[in-house]
Amino acid sequence: MAAFRKIGILTSGGDAPGMNACVRAVTRKAHAEGVEVAGIIGGYSGLINDNILDLTPRMVSDIIARGGTMLYSDRCLEFKTEPGMQKAIATCKKHGIDALVVIGGDGTFRGGTDMTNRGVPTIGIPGTIDNDITATDYTIGFDSAMTTTANMIDCLRDTCESHARCNVVEVMGRDCGQIALYTALATGAVAAVIPEVPFDEPGTIARMKQLKAAGKRGFVVVVSEGVRTPEGTPYSEKLAEVIAKETLIETKFARFAHVVRGGKPSLQDRLIATEMGVMAVDLLLAGQSNKVICRLDSKIVPVDINFALISDRYYKNKLKEGDLDAFTPDQVNAMKERAEKLNAEIRRVYQMIEDTSK
Ligand code: F6P
């Protein structure tokens, strides 16, 4: 068992419902093991600028059901520089922080691996509404963001039905279409438009015309923000215009944006955040580091951060020269299989939306 006195914890990148539940779990579990916890305020900037708040178990009371992150968050450019990292190391030394738990997305994990390489063992926990981390089936916040999105679309559907209208809804997700995909399926939307699958605009327009002729009154189309026009503008807004013009259905546009990143975490997010937080402490105390905690086939398991980061680039076609050099043929094959599995699942759900919105 590693002899840690104090674990630091931070949240970084876009906040996500469930981050607080994870901060709570790490804090309580660490104290239960006799280890102190330093809350790092404002992500990696807090580590650079020495903004540290020691957390007692009582200080994380009543946050399990709260959205946002009590530790605050940011996207820190200075941390990507060596001087920035050295300041972060100095802060760890000053406060006796022996190890870190970092909650966020791929940028957060790159920071985590930088800290591990400079002598501060780090474990990453996936926290982002986007569910865009290839190595894990699930990121904390995804279910809550989808639930909020679905509730809001349900409201739009009521009024679309009353007025025989269409609503084109743009949702967040960066370059990942999963929020759009699953909420479209769950709300009975007529189509999802996502970066992962080429969109058949004429086919969808034709289908909407047929449905209208057959008596359908209310239509919803969910578009991921990652889908852009060739000019780089949001495709969602353009699609709303095309639908109105081509189908003659009165069409409204709504952009949900940050609103679905807030609010209470769902039950699933609280549970997964708690399990991941507890495992992060267990791993550090067992002497492990440079792992990201993933959910794979309903199990919570640690995955090597470097493998996770490169799997992500593999899946997103962003591999750089030499990226695969450190991996065995079996590991590269595992990345390939993972990418194929994710793509197959996205296509399966995409097809289901078409089949169930006839
Ligand atoms: O990564 C979470 C996310 O909400 C994305 O869905 C979105 O593209 C981005 O963050 C927005 O970033 P910001 O909060 O900096 O506007």
Side-chain angles (χ1 to χ4, degrees):
M1 191 141 158
F4 289 131
R5 285 162 302 163
K6 197 184 267 187
I7 291 175
I9 178 165
L10 62 81
T11 49
S12 158
D15 63 350
M19 280 183 164
N20 276 327
C22 196
V23 170
R24 171 185 176 274
V26 169
T27 304
R28 294 263 169 96
K29 173 67 177 168
H31 279 278
E33 299 291 345
V35 176
E36 289 174 38
V37 177
I40 297 152
I41 307 300
Y44 285 107
S45 299
L47 210 48
I48 290 175
N49 300 320
D50 190 9
N51 196 354
I52 307 295
L53 174 71
D54 283 337
L55 295 177
T56 64
R58 288 277 57 77
M59 287 164 77
V60 293
S61 281
D62 211 12
I63 63 166
I64 196 165
R66 275 210 336 247
T69 160
M70 71 165 279
L71 295 179
Y72 309 145
S73 191
D74 83 342
R75 305 184 198 275
C76 177
L77 292 180
E78 192 185 350
F79 189 74
K80 292 183 177 164
T81 66
E82 190 58 41
M85 283 181 235
Q86 289 307 328
K87 284 189 204 164
I89 300 286
T91 303
C92 289
K93 283 204 178 114
K94 178 178 167 192
H95 292 270
I97 297 171
D98 305 306
L100 287 174
V101 175
V102 296
I103 310 169
D106 54 354
T108 309
F109 303 150
R110 272 194 292 278
T113 213
D114 288 336
M115 290 303 282
T116 303
N117 291 340
R118 284 162 184 74
V120 182
T122 301
I123 298 283
I125 297 181
T128 160
I129 61 165
D130 300 339
N131 205 33
D132 63 345
I133 297 172
T134 305
T136 181
D137 290 343
Y138 192 78
T139 60
I140 296 167
F142 180 49
D143 185 58
S144 307
M146 285 198 300
T147 305
T148 305
T149 301
N151 287 337
M152 288 167 62
I153 293 176
D154 289 346
C155 294
L156 287 177
R157 285 210 58 170
D158 289 346
T159 169
C160 282
E161 190 69 17
S162 304
H163 290 269
R165 285 176 179 159
C166 172
N167 220 306
V168 174
V169 178
E170 185 197 275
V171 296
M172 275 189 169
R174 206 177 289 276
D175 298 322
C176 175
Q178 291 197 35
I179 295 177
L181 183 74
Y182 289 99
T183 57
L185 182 66
T187 58
V190 75
V193 189
I194 59 173
E196 292 88 342
V197 181
F199 179 56
D200 177 7
E201 186 184 285
T204 303
I205 298 283
R207 196 153 50 88
M208 289 177 73
K209 283 183 182 167
Q210 279 167 11
L211 289 168
K212 183 186 169 195
K216 185 170 171 64
R217 290 176 58 85
F219 293 82
V220 169
V221 177
V222 189
V223 186
S224 173
E225 66 172 349
V227 184
R228 318 292 289 184
T229 63
E231 297 76 43
T233 56
Y235 176 68
S236 51
E237 289 174 37
K238 181 178 164 246
L239 181 62
E241 286 167 19
V242 173
I243 289 174
K245 187 162 165 266
E246 299 290 329
T247 65
L248 302 180
I249 301 167
E250 189 184 350
T251 301
K252 304 283 180 188
F253 174 72
R255 175 171 288 126
F256 288 178
H258 293 84
V259 68
V260 305
R261 225 164 76 182
K264 269 177 178 292
S266 67
L267 183 77
Q268 171 161 317
D269 277 322
R270 297 180 206 186
L271 294 175
I272 293 177
T274 301
E275 284 210 43
M276 288 183 168
V278 167
M279 181 179 271
V281 175
D282 277 338
L283 288 176
L284 285 172
L285 294 183
Q288 294 201 42
S289 67
N290 219 32
K291 299 275 189 297
V292 53
I293 298 181
C294 295
R295 188 166 196 258
L296 290 169
D297 299 326
S298 304
K299 291 196 180 65
I300 308 290
V301 290
V303 171
D304 178 72
I305 284 193
N306 296 324
F307 179 82
L309 288 173
I310 302 302
S311 297
D312 214 49
R313 288 203 204 143
Y314 189 106
Y315 175 66
K316 293 170 185 166
N317 287 322
K318 288 184 177 167
L319 279 179
K320 296 182 189 150
E321 209 180 319
D323 267 355
L324 296 176
D325 291 356
F327 298 96
T328 64
D330 279 354
Q331 286 174 313
V332 175
N333 199 40
M335 290 179 201
K336 180 169 169 271
E337 283 179 3
R338 177 81 188 145
E340 284 168 358
K341 188 177 171 197
L342 288 177
N343 284 333
E345 180 58 10
I346 286 170
R347 284 180 182 276
R348 187 183 74 84
V349 176
Y350 196 86
Q351 187 59 46
M352 230 189 313
I353 294 169
E354 277 208 27
D355 293 345
T356 58
S357 63
K358 291 254 170 359

